[in-house]
Amino acid sequence: MMREQLKQALEILKRAEQNPEDRELFRTAVAQTLAVGVVTTTEAARGMHIPRPTLERWSSGASAPHHFFRLSVLRWLKEKAEVKLKEPLKKLLATIGRAEQNTRDDRLFEAVSGKALRAEVVTPREFARKYGMPLSTVERWRSGLSVAHVALRPRIYRWLKEKTEATLKQ
């Protein structure tokens, strides 16, 4: 869910960047970016060297900067959104790397499978189909009630690593 909201905010930012004269689109882009938690109002104001009330007026539509300055605001927000979108995937890759070194660690398997599902790299249904198991098994993995057999883990880690790397490239 969070990943989808970040993607939507990023798409709005890209559209606004292509059309900086559109004041309503600028307002929507700023408001949406703040609403999904890309940055807080305080972080954004500090990062762009503007007063926080000014940023709040932009997000409410009460005012807007000149369209030349809007481009730099939108680019700054877009950069932050892209980092926020990729951050969980990079952490997942690091966790997969640790798990590949120690396939017997059940907690690492729980961390990898949980992070992969939360980051929406794979769905529980994809997991179940890929390894020919019931969906309930994947749900038990997600909830920490069980884990995959040690012999299956290296294949799962390889698959999740490929899926994560492909998602990062998008």
Side-chain angles (χ1 to χ4, degrees):
M1 178 80 167
M2 176 67 161
R3 185 165 178 76
E4 250 341 282
Q5 291 174 325
L6 281 170
K7 284 181 180 179
Q8 289 172 353
L10 196 54
E11 284 305 311
I12 293 169
L13 284 164
K14 288 176 182 178
R15 280 198 335 257
E17 188 179 23
Q18 292 170 352
N19 191 4
E21 296 84 21
D22 187 335
R23 188 173 168 156
E24 180 57 25
L25 190 54
F26 175 80
R27 183 206 64 77
T28 303
V30 172
Q32 182 76 12
T33 305
L34 294 173
V36 299
V38 170
V39 289
T40 65
T41 308
T42 303
E43 290 168 334
R46 284 185 185 147
M48 291 185 273
H49 307 289
I50 58 170
R52 199 179 78 227
T54 299
L55 186 61
E56 290 167 353
R57 284 193 301 275
W58 293 352
S59 69
S60 70
S63 69
H66 189 276
H67 66 271
F68 290 126
F69 184 59
R70 287 180 207 166
L71 272 175
S72 62
V73 169
L74 294 165
R75 286 179 183 146
W76 188 88
L77 290 171
K78 186 175 93 175
E79 180 182 308
K80 296 297 178 189
E82 288 170 342
V83 167
K84 190 83 164 189
L85 194 60
K86 291 179 179 180
E87 186 177 290
L89 299 175
K90 290 180 179 178
K91 287 181 179 179
L92 174 57
L93 283 175
T95 306
I96 290 171
R98 286 195 315 274
E100 286 175 323
Q101 301 302 312
N102 187 359
T103 58
R104 295 193 176 279
D105 190 330
D106 291 348
R107 285 179 290 168
L108 275 175
F109 178 79
E110 289 172 10
V112 168
S113 59
K115 285 180 181 182
L117 292 166
R118 276 191 304 280
E120 299 171 12
V121 171
V122 293
T123 65
R125 191 170 307 283
E126 281 179 289
F127 239 131
R129 266 193 238 132
K130 174 76 174 172
Y131 294 101
M133 60 186 67
L135 191 56
S136 60
T137 300
V138 179
E139 292 301 330
R140 284 196 307 274
W141 293 353
R142 186 197 322 233
S143 63
L145 295 175
S146 72
V147 293
H149 190 277
V150 174
L152 183 58
R153 293 179 193 178
R155 288 188 3 223
I156 291 173
Y157 295 150
R158 246 187 331 274
W159 178 62
L160 290 175
K161 187 176 185 177
E162 289 169 7
K163 297 281 282 181
T164 304
E165 288 169 344
T167 304
L168 262 173
K169 289 178 183 175
Q170 293 177 352

